[in-house]
Amino acid sequence: MDTAARTEPYNGGMSTRKPRAAQPDPDREYRERLASRLREVRAARGTTRAALVDASGVSLRFLAQIEAGRGNPSLAVMRKIARALAIPLESLIAETKPASVDRLLLEQSLNRMTPEELGQLHALIADRFSDTQRTSTRAISLIGLRGAGKSTLGGRLARHLGVEFVELDREVEREYGATIGEILQLHGQPGYRRYEVRCLLATLDRHGDCVIETGGGLVTDAETLSLLLERTRVVWLRATPEEHMQRVIDQGDLRPMAKSKEAMKDLRAILKAREPYYSRAPLHLNTSRKSIDATFEDLLDLLDVGRPPREHLPCPYPGAV
């Protein structure tokens, strides 16, 4: 037997390894918050645990584990519980602080409203509580897909009013020293939207009265759309998908034709997906099949800012904005 190899005293065969430290549980705080929220809602409803088991189909043992903060329920299980308690699933599983009673009541009312009623309500809220009601200035912002006429009409409107014309995409490029494509490549859509809202806030603080041309996808960010509606007079410039496409091509951008079979289909899908956002604008102007002069006069009438002498500017593409 080689005793020289033994350097540690014999310990009766017991392991000398130190016990592994307990690993932190990253979900513990959320489970405890979920448990507390579930207990509060059940108590407020006056629902016993047994009654909730009968209504939801979740086992008594598992429900007890959830309410103790030890269960790990699936989304399907929480959906059953929320439905049994007659509350929105989101209010039960939200990461943030539970909504107040007033917010819950308001949410129930909003869920019953049509898209048109929601748009009218938002306009009323913006008119009643907007910061712009406390100031003497208010910018005008133009939204819509590319080719709607935002650049042409926006520049002309700014000259007519004697205010600054701000192209928001160009502001983002100047601020961050890169093209839109480069910013998207480096930071993706979420990163670009953050830069966009910062530049919008800076523009509104710096200029007060101005005309702002926005990017076509800006409205899909709820925070930015809300900011526009609260602090500017928003006009949705709209046209048919065919005119949107033709105007982009007439401006010299032939990229849509590279996949012409799918381009129009994609454009229609984008317009349909964004229409609920665009329609939140309180002012709508159809620019289809109209000359620049006629459309501009319609815009002035819509904004109620008075008609100018006719400029008869050359049209960038025949017979349209």
Side-chain angles (χ1 to χ4, degrees):
M1 180 177 180
D2 184 3
T3 58
R6 188 186 298 276
T7 58
E8 298 291 337
Y10 180 66
N11 62 1
M14 297 183 65
S15 173
T16 59
R17 293 180 181 176
K18 294 181 180 180
R20 182 177 297 176
Q23 297 297 313
D25 182 357
D27 297 323
R28 178 180 176 181
E29 183 179 346
Y30 175 73
R31 287 202 304 272
E32 290 176 349
R33 187 163 58 246
L34 176 64
S36 175
R37 174 63 177 149
L38 179 54
R39 293 194 303 269
E40 289 173 2
V41 173
R42 187 166 62 77
R45 292 289 192 278
T47 303
T48 65
R49 190 178 287 175
L52 183 54
V53 165
D54 290 339
S56 66
V58 177
S59 73
L60 181 61
R61 178 182 178 185
F62 194 25
L63 183 59
Q65 290 177 340
I66 297 172
E67 290 196 351
R70 296 193 301 271
N72 188 23
S74 67
L75 190 61
V77 168
M78 294 311 302
R79 186 166 178 258
K80 291 179 181 178
I81 293 174
R83 186 177 295 172
L85 291 170
I87 62 171
L89 174 62
E90 296 80 6
S91 67
L92 190 59
I93 66 174
E95 295 269 2
T96 54
K97 183 179 179 180
S100 65
V101 173
D102 286 337
R103 287 184 178 273
L104 288 173
L105 291 173
L106 180 59
E107 184 176 308
Q108 293 292 334
S109 298
L110 293 176
N111 288 338
R112 292 192 292 268
M113 297 180 76
T114 66
E116 292 74 17
E117 290 171 337
L118 286 171
Q120 294 171 8
L121 177 62
H122 195 287
L124 288 172
I125 293 173
D127 186 62
R128 174 64 178 83
F129 298 104
S130 171
D131 288 340
T132 59
Q133 301 303 313
R134 306 184 186 100
T135 67
S136 60
T137 61
R138 192 170 188 184
I140 296 170
S141 60
L142 306 179
I143 65 174
L145 283 182
R146 186 180 176 193
K150 292 177 294 183
S151 297
T152 303
L153 293 171
R156 188 166 174 178
L157 177 63
R159 291 195 301 273
H160 173 68
L161 297 175
V163 299
E164 190 80 16
F165 177 51
V166 179
E167 298 174 279
L168 197 57
D169 282 351
R170 303 293 80 77
E171 290 295 306
V172 174
E173 290 181 332
R174 278 193 292 271
E175 179 69 21
Y176 295 96
T179 66
I180 301 300
E182 291 168 340
I183 296 173
L184 289 171
Q185 187 174 10
L186 289 171
H187 304 286
Q189 282 283 351
Y192 175 72
R193 294 302 172 207
R194 288 195 300 271
Y195 299 150
E196 190 175 48
V197 72
R198 290 175 195 168
C199 285
L200 176 59
L201 281 167
T203 295
L204 293 172
D205 291 340
R206 183 170 62 248
H207 293 296
D209 281 341
C210 61
V211 177
I212 303 172
E213 176 196 351
T214 68
L218 174 143
V219 296
T220 59
D221 182 83
E223 178 186 359
T224 312
L225 177 58
S226 179
L227 179 62
L228 278 182
L229 292 169
E230 289 171 6
R231 296 188 58 179
T232 75
R233 299 182 68 189
V234 186
V235 183
W236 174 24
L237 302 181
R238 58 189 305 179
T240 64
E242 291 78 12
E243 286 194 82
H244 277 294
M245 178 70 73
Q246 189 58 51
R247 291 172 184 179
V248 170
I249 294 171
D250 289 343
Q251 289 169 2
D253 188 349
L254 301 179
R255 287 175 296 176
M257 300 306 295
K259 51 174 185 176
S260 57
K261 291 183 179 180
E262 297 295 327
M264 185 55 68
K265 180 180 178 181
D266 292 344
L267 180 59
R268 290 182 187 278
I270 292 171
L271 186 57
K272 182 178 179 180
R274 290 181 182 174
E275 188 166 343
Y277 299 95
Y278 290 142
S279 63
R280 291 295 177 266
L283 302 174
H284 299 183
L285 179 62
N286 192 330
T287 67
S288 293
R289 295 179 294 279
K290 295 178 183 177
S291 67
I292 290 179
D293 285 338
T295 307
F296 184 57
E297 289 176 1
D298 288 346
L299 177 60
L300 295 181
D301 288 341
L302 189 66
L303 293 167
D304 193 21
V305 292
R307 291 178 178 238
R310 296 178 72 86
E311 295 184 32
H312 294 292
L313 293 183
C315 186
Y317 25 83
V321 175

